[in-house]
């Protein structure tokens, strides 16, 4: 197990990880918008819909992360983890955003642009 590095960053690892997660979800939502537009420009509604769904999942993940982060920053985070664990499922809103260039969790190849 790795050692806590909060003394270097000034932020506890779990809090840093939560901050990173929210940023990654938001960044992925923005990226998916570009991919939707590319697919629509090429007339591929099936691929555009895939990216819209991925974007919606990223938005949900960001919202969940922001709620948890807000609760922890205000000191009201007790029990907040149970809300996430009850709705987290593979590839669902509680899962980390999937980089579209890596293999999917179901073993399928990533979509190509």
């Amino acid at each position: 197990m790795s050692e806590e590095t909060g003394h270097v960053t000034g932020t506890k690892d779990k809090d840093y990880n939560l901050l990173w997660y929210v940023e990654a979800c938001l960044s992925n939502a923005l990226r998916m918008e570009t991919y939707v537009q590319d697919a629509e420009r090429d007339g591929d509604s099936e691929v555009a819909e895939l990216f819209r769904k991925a974007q919606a999942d990223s938005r949900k993940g960001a919202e969940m992360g922001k709620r948890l982060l807000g609760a922890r920053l205000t000191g009201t985070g007790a029990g907040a983890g149970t809300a996430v664990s009850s709705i987290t499922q593979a590839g669902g809103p509680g899962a980390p955003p999937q980089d579209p260039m890596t293999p999917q969790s179901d073993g399928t190849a990533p979509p190509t642009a």
Side-chain angles (χ1 to χ4, degrees):
M1 200 167 208
S2 64
E3 192 174 314
E4 169 73 38
T5 60
H7 65 282
V8 175
T9 65
T11 304
K12 291 181 83 172
D13 286 354
K14 70 176 183 69
D15 295 335
Y16 176 91
N17 295 345
L18 189 53
L19 286 164
W20 173 90
Y21 176 80
V22 170
E23 187 279 332
C25 286
L26 294 171
S27 178
N28 199 54
L30 287 172
R31 180 183 304 156
M32 290 299 108
E33 184 64 26
T34 299
Y35 294 171
V36 166
Q37 291 173 7
D38 290 348
E40 287 177 340
R41 186 177 50 248
D42 287 344
D44 195 333
S45 60
E46 186 176 30
V47 170
E49 184 60 24
L50 169 72
F51 292 141
R52 277 190 205 95
K53 287 179 181 178
Q55 185 179 49
D57 285 345
S58 291
R59 286 179 180 150
K60 288 176 190 174
E63 287 304 314
M64 290 170 50
K66 288 190 294 185
R67 280 194 301 272
L68 286 174
L69 187 59
R72 279 155 177 75
L73 292 176
T74 60
T76 60
T82 56
V84 171
S85 63
S86 68
I87 61 174
T88 300
Q89 49 186 287
Q98 179 72 36
D99 185 326
M101 300 312 292
T102 60
Q104 306 298 306
S105 59
D106 64 2
T108 61
T112 55

